[in-house]
Amino acid sequence: MRLENKVALISGGARGQGEVEAKLFAREGAKVVIGDILEDEGRRVQAEINELGGECVFVTLDVTKEEDWERAVATAADQFGKLDILVNNAGIFKLGLVEETSPELWDEIMDINSKGVFLGTKHAIPEMRKAGGGSIVNISSVAGLIGTQYSAAYGASKGSVRLLTKATATTYAKEGIRANSVHPGVIETPMTAPNLLNDDEARERSIARHPLGRVGQPEDVAYGVLFLASDESSFMTGSELVIDGGLTAQ
Ligand code: NAP
């Protein structure tokens, strides 16, 4: 199994890509802590993994709150003895061109998508140091690589994730702590259901942006995250894994 003896913490693990990653990690032998603000969904995912023989604990986690991160990391250490992997996956997406974006909307998106990743990284590192190293996988977006026109704050937040990843990678490489970012194109999840994939026309527009002729599924991203989380990627740090059906290759 690809994550045997590993302990992973996944933020935003109650649904969407985080849920699929949690289930894949558990199938590959990891003990998994999932953190989310969605308690019912989080407990459902916990039960589904444990019923299939995996080991999973749900913890309430608002990624903007430092004390929540302290509790989530402590849960991994208390329940499973250590922390090897952090997937900073939680995020929100809201439409808004620069002129349409209020300071409140800007702060909301930056708080969750950018500060949330910073806080998770900050609190995971001491525990990874104790474990002798670790792997941090930060979910950015194609919107963190190229200018997108539908959400100024979202693009800015995902660009910050890309460079925080490189800062983390270069700062902690000597301690065996790796950090890489993942850049998905449009993926079919509850996040995109109400906007980029909400009707046939929107779906066709989204599909047309991807040379491979489809939007992505959560599994497309989860297998990339699995690779970066595992020791198979042990010579990778500070890198960008683009999973976008060719969107940014154009
Ligand atoms: P999703 O289905 O909305 O899942 C994200 C999860 O994070 C939800 O359970 C969400 O809960 C949770 N969350 C939101 N705010 C949180 C907070 N403050 N603390 C903890 N959890 C919080 O979205 P997804 O598509 O799986 O997205 C996962 C990641 O991929 C995000 O970082 C997203 O930006 C990135 N991404 C997605 C796409 C895409 O096309 N789907 C493309 C590129 C990158 P709520 O439902 O309550 O908000």
Side-chain angles (χ1 to χ4, degrees):
M1 286 195 283
R2 298 168 69 182
L3 295 180
E4 205 159 5
N5 300 321
K6 302 283 191 193
V7 178
L9 169 57
I10 302 177
S11 72
R15 69 174 207 192
Q17 295 172 52
E19 173 182 354
V20 172
E21 287 153 15
K23 289 178 173 171
L24 178 61
F25 278 26
R27 284 204 301 279
E28 291 295 340
K31 297 175 174 117
V32 184
V33 178
I34 50 175
D36 206 296
I37 46 175
L38 299 176
E39 296 201 15
D40 292 347
E41 289 89 335
R43 293 196 197 287
R44 173 186 55 80
V45 175
Q46 169 189 282
E48 286 173 7
I49 289 175
N50 290 334
E51 274 158 26
L52 289 172
E55 288 188 72
C56 178
V57 171
F58 169 75
V59 61
T60 306
L61 169 68
D62 178 342
V63 294
T64 66
K65 297 203 170 110
E66 194 151 26
E67 61 273 20
D68 281 15
W69 274 113
E70 283 165 357
R71 200 180 51 238
V73 170
T75 299
D78 294 346
Q79 300 272 327
F80 300 133
K82 59 175 182 163
L83 180 65
D84 305 293
I85 297 160
L86 169 66
V87 183
N88 276 309
N89 163 78
I92 58 166
F93 172 78
K94 292 189 180 177
L95 294 167
L97 311 183
V98 173
E99 291 167 281
E100 299 161 352
T101 300
S102 66
E104 292 74 24
L105 177 63
W106 177 272
D107 287 346
E108 183 190 0
I109 293 177
M110 292 300 279
D111 263 8
I112 295 172
N113 293 6
S114 179
K115 189 165 86 180
V117 175
F118 149 65
L119 289 175
T121 302
K122 176 181 170 185
H123 288 284
I125 283 169
E127 205 51 52
M128 289 182 172
R129 183 177 289 127
K130 282 190 220 159
S135 175
I136 299 172
V137 185
N138 292 331
I139 310 302
S140 175
S141 167
V142 291
L145 295 173
I146 57 170
T148 50
Q149 284 139 36
Y150 41 75
S151 178
Y154 185 78
S157 71
K158 293 301 185 179
S160 91
V161 169
R162 173 176 170 267
L163 281 182
L164 174 63
T165 305
K166 293 183 197 306
T168 305
T170 52
T171 307
Y172 297 102
K174 286 197 171 55
E175 297 190 76
I177 298 171
R178 302 184 294 112
N180 294 285
S181 56
V182 175
H183 301 266
V186 177
I187 309 298
E188 190 154 14
T189 69
M191 176 180 278
T192 47
N195 41 64
L196 303 180
L197 300 174
N198 57 329
D199 57 30
D200 288 350
E201 212 176 295
R203 178 175 288 275
E204 283 313 314
R205 258 200 318 273
S206 288
I207 289 172
R209 297 174 63 205
H210 301 76
L212 283 179
R214 67 174 177 89
V215 295
Q217 295 302 315
E219 289 74 13
D220 292 317
V221 179
Y223 278 104
V225 175
L226 169 64
F227 169 64
L228 290 175
S230 79
D231 293 338
E232 294 161 9
S233 59
S234 63
F235 197 50
M236 287 176 74
T237 199
S239 73
E240 301 160 11
L241 182 58
V242 179
I243 304 177
D244 71 348
L247 188 154
T248 55
Q250 300 167 97

